[in-house]
Amino acid sequence: METKQVPLLETKNLEIGYAQKSIAKAIDLNIPKGKLIATIGINGSGKSTLLKTLIGQLQPKNGTIFLENNNIQELSAKQIAEKISIVLTHTHFSKNLSIQEFVALGRHPYTNWLGVLSVKDKQAITEALELIDLQDKAERKCSNLSDGQLQKVMLARALAQDTPLIVLDEPTTHLDMYHKVFVLKMLKDLTQKTGKTIVFASHEINLALQLCDEIILINQEKVIQNTPQELIKDKHLERLFPENLIRFDAQSSTFKIVE
Amino acid sequence: MVFGIFLLLAAFFVNINLGSVSIPFKEVLNALLQQPTAKESWQVIILEYRLPKAFTAMLVGSGLALSGLLMQTLFRNPLAGPYVLGLSSGASLGVALVIMGSAFFGGIFSTLLLSKYALIVASSIGSFLVLLAILATSYRIKDTMALLIIGLMFASLTSAVVSVLSYFSPSEKLQQYIFWGFGSLGDLAWQEVGLLSLFWFGGLLLSVFSLKNMNALLLGEQYAKSLGTNIKQNRLLVILATSLLAGSITAFAGPIAFIGLAVPHLIRQIIPNSNHLILAPAVIIGGAILMLICDSIAQLPGSEFTLPINAITSIIGAPVVIWLLVRKKKLVF
């Protein structure tokens, strides 16, 4: 049954990188519906580059990306906006926006030429606010929010955009351990509640191994996609870091400091 | 909104009631309604001088305030204004070339060069050339911030050329150039007001089409892109709209300072909303009101003197922005 389903996003022989530099080659990913998928790799391994290429903001050097069987290069920005929403780490947006206004901007691809919200748009905004439990704070300005709350607001905006795929760039940076787990748990719940697929980049490998359905591992110009169990079995994680400081303990599925 | 329009009408009537010649309110109304006035000269003053001046003030104030708002969002910078792209410096260079350059020609040619229309044409050409340069570069660069710096570079380049020209110019030419820099709302006849409003409408129309995308830009360019916004196309639209507005205003009324920067901030204090569909009409009305008030003050009612409008806008604008900074501790865009 799984095999017959049209994948949400698929790459064939994809090569990513910038003009002079190739970061990874021969990437064949298959991202199905309703899954929580982490993208992990060491600093500078190309997590952001991969995600930027997948959402169509960066040209692939080679190969093709299929979004629901359509070549992403042939889709317009608006067509992509109806399928993929993003959550970024940086917060260079206008802090004068209220939470309500911020989330409402997620409806941008669906509104008319003046951007007036329809009844359906308002409904989607309310639903998104309720899913993230922000409905009581909707009137607050973004300038008064903590990093954790901002992360929730940005996620609510992506939900209001109502796309089958949400891509997050390091949603757990700047957060304490409790909030890291809180955010990742929330992402997991969302995939189950809404049937959306959530792909995120993260350095929280220990947490990702426990929570995610699948993992995209980037290591030394190779990209592997598999379930956490298979990755552990095939000893891919052991090779991720130099062994002088930390090593992977297969029994507890965590990284430990070498003594 | 209704309150704003009411305030605008009030400011409008106060403005045309005040001037160097004091005219009773009843007679002003008579003149407006084409009724005979006690003195015939009053009718001429109201209809041919104060009325076009009030309209010019409204066009100038609203146009500059709107371009200020668009620039602040486009560059995501609270200090951006209608002139950040160097439009006013381009206009200054054009005017400086005509005024100070005319000294080198002499004869009939110089009187021809110094007519009022020559200055308007010169400043239009000046700002248009700067605009072309900006558009050419904006087409090549990806980063909107770099555009801001390029605009500043153009400004300093043109002001340097103006300095060189000033250095070699006789003092009366220099004085004439400085007077142009003071800005003036009162020199326009009905015909010119009509022409200015034509440009104003053009700029306004282009702005309306950018409003939806300006809202998306509040999130930053990457988010805006992910929402389906065509960043380059929108940037082009905004630059064109601002150039039409600020360029034509500078051509007809001189480089008017501060309105474009201060009004959007004032409005954001009054209206706690970031939606450009609401902010844009608000800054248009707010800009018009503030300009009418500034002009009423500049007239020094009852006296024969008229202060330079540019000085008044800055004298009012600077303390306002300082007060906002001290009170709020930060300016948001």
Side-chain angles (χ1 to χ4, degrees):
Chain A
M1 206 180 112
E2 279 275 296
T3 46
K4 274 183 197 162
Q5 205 184 28
V6 176
L8 189 54
L9 194 84
E10 202 179 9
T11 69
K12 293 235 169 85
N13 196 27
L14 182 70
E15 181 183 357
I16 56 167
Y18 295 91
Q20 302 297 325
K21 192 170 172 255
S22 171
I23 289 178
K25 273 183 205 166
I27 308 168
D28 293 302
L29 299 176
N30 181 324
I31 294 173
K33 285 178 185 145
K35 301 280 186 202
L36 180 64
I37 300 172
T39 306
I40 59 178
I42 58 169
N43 281 336
S45 59
K47 295 189 295 294
S48 293
T49 313
L50 176 65
L51 292 187
K52 261 190 201 163
T53 314
L54 290 184
I55 63 174
Q57 290 206 353
L58 201 67
Q59 292 260 352
K61 281 180 80 77
N62 247 320
T64 335
I65 303 163
F66 295 96
L67 181 60
E68 289 183 342
N69 276 352
N70 297 306
N71 185 346
I72 206 163
Q73 302 274 63
E74 287 160 13
L75 296 176
S76 72
K78 188 178 175 292
Q79 280 170 319
I80 298 174
E82 288 175 10
K83 299 290 176 200
I84 306 175
S85 54
I86 61 169
V87 175
L88 302 164
T89 8
H90 71 71
T91 50
H92 300 314
F93 50 83
S94 164
K95 300 291 189 299
N96 200 28
L97 289 161
S98 70
I99 294 182
Q100 168 88 28
E101 288 174 317
F102 193 102
V103 175
L105 283 173
R107 299 303 295 171
H108 196 268
Y110 307 100
T111 53
N112 64 5
W113 67 279
L114 270 177
V116 180
L117 297 171
S118 68
V119 179
K120 198 177 159 224
D121 293 325
K122 285 179 184 157
Q123 208 179 336
I125 295 162
T126 316
E127 274 170 28
L129 287 170
E130 279 168 5
L131 267 173
I132 307 290
D133 200 24
L134 282 170
Q135 64 271 41
D136 307 329
K137 302 185 181 116
E139 299 303 320
R140 274 213 230 162
K141 292 266 179 205
C142 289
S143 50
N144 309 323
L145 300 179
S146 67
D147 283 341
Q149 283 170 318
L150 274 179
Q151 194 61 245
K152 282 169 80 177
V153 175
M154 291 194 280
L155 190 59
R157 190 207 64 85
L159 287 172
Q161 203 174 329
D162 195 21
T163 54
L165 177 61
I166 301 177
V167 176
L168 300 91
D169 190 17
E170 308 211 9
T172 51
T173 38
H174 309 308
L175 298 181
D176 61 42
M177 200 180 215
Y178 175 83
H179 284 95
K180 274 178 185 163
V181 179
F182 180 86
V183 166
L184 293 185
K185 198 86 185 31
M186 188 165 68
L187 295 179
K188 176 84 178 173
D189 288 344
L190 282 174
T191 56
Q192 286 163 351
K193 248 191 260 177
T194 63
K196 293 178 195 298
T197 293
I198 297 179
V199 176
F200 67 98
S202 182
H203 285 297
E204 300 307 316
I205 302 174
N206 286 344
L207 296 176
L209 287 172
Q210 292 176 58
L211 271 168
C212 293
D213 300 305
E214 288 182 31
I215 284 180
I216 297 170
L217 181 77
I218 309 179
N219 191 17
Q220 288 162 4
E221 300 188 13
K222 284 203 187 72
V223 179
I224 308 153
Q225 178 191 3
N226 218 327
T227 59
Q229 297 78 22
E230 292 295 317
L231 283 178
I232 295 169
K233 217 168 77 184
D234 294 346
K235 299 194 186 300
H236 282 299
L237 292 161
E238 270 88 337
R239 292 190 285 269
L240 191 56
F241 297 113
E243 285 184 342
N244 56 348
L245 275 181
I246 45 175
R247 65 179 175 80
F248 186 73
D249 179 44
Q251 224 152 23
S252 61
S253 304
T254 51
F255 282 93
K256 295 247 160 89
I257 297 171
V258 176
E259 290 174 22
Chain B
M1 183 64 71
V2 176
F3 178 69
I5 290 172
F6 175 75
L7 217 61
L8 178 63
L9 284 174
F12 180 73
F13 277 108
V14 169
N15 183 272
I16 54 176
N17 267 293
L18 298 175
S20 42
V21 179
S22 70
I23 301 172
F25 182 64
K26 217 182 112 202
E27 298 291 330
V28 173
L29 278 184
N30 276 342
L32 285 180
L33 298 168
Q34 306 278 1
Q35 304 288 327
T37 44
K39 281 190 200 168
E40 209 160 302
S41 63
W42 287 354
Q43 186 141 16
V44 177
I45 289 173
I46 297 293
L47 291 182
E48 296 301 323
Y49 182 70
R50 288 192 194 170
L51 212 51
K53 184 164 64 69
F55 273 109
T56 312
M58 290 197 291
L59 291 175
V60 167
S62 55
L64 289 179
L66 179 61
S67 1
L69 175 73
L70 294 180
M71 284 291 130
Q72 284 171 11
T73 307
L74 183 72
F75 291 114
R76 290 189 304 290
N77 189 328
L79 285 177
Y83 297 136
V84 283
L85 292 178
L87 287 175
S88 73
S89 13
S92 310
L93 181 61
V95 169
L97 277 174
V98 167
I99 293 179
M100 303 186 215
S102 69
F104 301 108
F105 298 110
I108 309 165
F109 199 56
S110 81
T111 38
L112 195 73
L113 270 177
L114 285 175
S115 70
K116 196 166 61 178
Y117 272 105
L119 291 190
I120 291 174
V121 170
S123 67
S124 307
I125 292 176
S127 39
F128 186 70
L129 286 181
V130 171
L131 162 74
L132 277 187
I134 294 280
L135 281 182
T137 41
S138 88
Y139 193 74
R140 279 163 160 255
I141 55 175
K142 273 188 186 163
D143 188 5
T144 310
M145 290 307 145
L147 198 61
L148 189 66
I149 295 168
I150 290 172
L152 287 173
M153 290 302 113
F154 273 120
S156 88
L157 204 70
T158 47
S159 72
V161 177
V162 171
S163 303
V164 172
L165 276 173
S166 315
Y167 186 74
F168 290 109
S169 290
S171 58
E172 63 266 34
K173 296 286 172 195
L174 208 55
Q175 193 184 27
Q176 202 181 355
Y177 172 73
I178 287 169
F179 266 89
W180 175 81
F182 285 154
S184 162
L185 300 171
D187 288 345
L188 272 65
W190 277 115
Q191 216 179 348
E192 290 150 350
V193 176
L195 201 58
L196 177 58
S197 53
L198 209 68
F199 283 110
W200 186 87
F201 270 114
L204 188 75
L205 206 65
L206 287 179
S207 314
V208 170
F209 283 100
S210 76
L211 290 182
K212 178 182 174 177
N213 286 333
M214 292 314 269
N215 282 334
L217 268 184
L218 288 173
L219 298 177
E221 286 192 2
Q222 257 184 302
Y223 272 124
K225 229 195 256 175
S226 83
L227 285 165
T229 302
N230 187 333
I231 301 281
K232 275 193 177 174
Q233 191 188 320
N234 183 59
R235 192 161 69 186
L236 204 69
L237 195 66
V238 172
I239 292 175
L240 271 176
T242 325
S243 310
L244 265 181
L245 288 168
S248 64
I249 287 166
T250 314
F252 283 99
I256 308 261
F258 246 104
I259 294 285
L261 174 69
V263 171
H265 289 300
L266 278 172
I267 293 297
R268 283 194 198 93
Q269 299 296 315
I270 301 166
I271 300 175
N273 198 310
S274 297
N275 190 342
H276 284 78
L277 286 181
I278 295 165
L279 281 180
V283 296
I284 288 173
I285 294 172
I289 293 172
L290 195 64
M291 204 64 204
L292 283 170
I293 294 172
C294 286
D295 180 54
S296 305
I297 296 169
Q299 289 304 316
L300 291 177
S303 81
E304 276 174 46
F305 295 104
T306 305
L307 293 177
I309 187 72
N310 221 344
I312 299 298
T313 53
S314 290
I315 287 172
I316 291 184
V320 163
V321 172
I322 291 171
W323 170 70
L324 285 178
L325 269 170
V326 171
R327 208 184 62 136
K328 290 271 288 184
K329 300 222 163 51
K330 70 181 163 198
L331 280 183
V332 282
F333 59 90

